[in-house]
């Protein structure tokens, strides 16, 4: 079980994580939360109207940060190509009504990772076993995917072949730890998919 998720009887998945792995995963999830930004306070003093919240308008322009642009891509047009005016208008309209909800979901996924890691407590020298119910597993999948997208954007990975080239970086290359995290998260994500489907 060490290093990869395995299916639990009755659904869900489990993985053994040592103290360093827990620390790295938690740190990455917190950084993802900081990147996504704080959510709207739906429980404001006058009590937010749920219907008004549903139709609240969000941003219409894509984020300028490459990692956020990867997490919140335009719904129309091909990435990296110039949009025609009609596609740009459609993308802006779609973003206006969907990005806030998407940010909320991504924030909840990252928070689920932090909370489940915090619930492990101190395991000392022994690896702690993290058990995820199916719903928690889906949240973890979302967060692992978002972490890989954000790290991939920072590493300028546009194709899977790019990560192979980055793997051959010299050990003293400052990108090496980020590459190793990217690949490790990919292994965790793949094993979690297999465990949840098994």
């Amino acid at each position: 079980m060490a290093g990869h998720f395995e299916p639990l009887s009755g659904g869900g998945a489990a993985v053994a994580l040592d103290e360093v792995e827990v620390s790295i995963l938690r740190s990455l999830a917190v950084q993802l939360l900081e990147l996504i930004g704080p959510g709207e306070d739906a429980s404001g003093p006058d009590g937010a109207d749920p219907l008004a919240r549903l139709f609240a308008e969000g941003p219409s322009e894509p984020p300028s940060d490459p990692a956020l642009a990867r997490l919140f891509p335009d719904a129309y047009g091909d990435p990296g190509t110039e949009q025609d005016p009609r596609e740009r208008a459609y993308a802006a309209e779609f973003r206006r009504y969907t990005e806030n909800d998407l940010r909320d979901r991504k924030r909840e996924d990252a928070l689920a990772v932090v909370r489940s890691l915090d619930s492990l407590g101190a395991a000392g020298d022994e690896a702690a076993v993290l058990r995820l119910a199916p719903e928690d597993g889906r949240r973890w999948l979302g967060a692992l995917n978002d972490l890989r997208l954000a790290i991939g954007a920072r590493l300028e990975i546009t194709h899977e072949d790019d990560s192979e080239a980055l793997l051959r970086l010299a050990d003293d290359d400052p990108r090496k730890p980020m590459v190793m995290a990217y690949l490790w998260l990919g292994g965790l994500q793949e094993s979690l998919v297999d465990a949840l489907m098994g």
Side-chain angles (χ1 to χ4, degrees):
M1 180 185 309
H4 66 277
F5 282 93
E6 293 185 3
L8 290 173
S9 62
V15 64
L17 298 169
D18 65 29
E19 190 176 337
V20 172
E21 292 169 324
V22 169
S23 176
I24 291 170
L25 279 169
R26 189 182 191 290
S27 174
L28 290 172
V30 168
Q31 290 176 53
L32 181 62
L33 284 165
E34 291 169 356
L35 178 66
I36 293 169
E40 304 255 339
D41 185 7
S43 61
D46 54 1
D49 177 4
L51 191 57
R53 171 78 177 116
L54 181 65
F55 292 103
E57 291 187 17
S60 60
E61 294 298 317
S64 58
D65 181 308
L68 284 173
R70 184 85 54 96
L71 291 172
F72 305 104
D74 274 333
Y76 296 91
D78 294 323
T81 62
E82 186 67 31
Q83 290 176 316
D84 68 43
R86 187 169 40 167
E87 282 180 335
R88 192 170 28 258
Y90 291 157
E93 194 68 11
F94 187 82
R95 181 179 299 281
R96 180 176 292 122
Y97 293 106
T98 60
E99 187 171 312
N100 285 341
D101 287 339
L102 186 56
R103 279 183 185 267
D104 288 345
R105 185 183 57 80
K106 290 180 181 298
R107 194 177 296 108
E108 283 301 315
D109 290 349
L111 278 171
V113 169
V114 171
R115 289 179 184 133
S116 59
L117 292 171
D118 286 350
S119 72
L120 286 176
D125 293 337
E126 297 292 318
V129 177
L130 174 69
R131 290 177 176 79
L132 300 175
E135 178 59 29
D136 292 328
R138 286 186 285 280
R139 290 197 177 280
W140 265 73
L141 276 177
L144 289 171
N145 187 61
D146 291 342
L147 285 168
R148 291 194 75 226
L149 286 172
I151 292 171
R154 295 288 187 244
L155 291 169
E156 299 178 356
I157 295 174
T158 55
H159 299 93
E160 201 57 41
D161 296 343
D162 296 342
S163 62
E164 295 297 322
L166 289 171
L167 187 58
R168 293 187 293 273
L169 291 175
D171 288 341
D172 61 349
D173 190 299
R175 296 171 295 169
K176 188 73 170 196
M178 212 179 334
V179 169
M180 298 313 292
Y182 177 82
L183 296 172
W184 176 58
L185 292 169
L188 279 177
Q189 183 180 17
E190 185 177 337
S191 70
L192 181 53
V193 168
D194 291 343
L196 292 175
M197 293 178 69

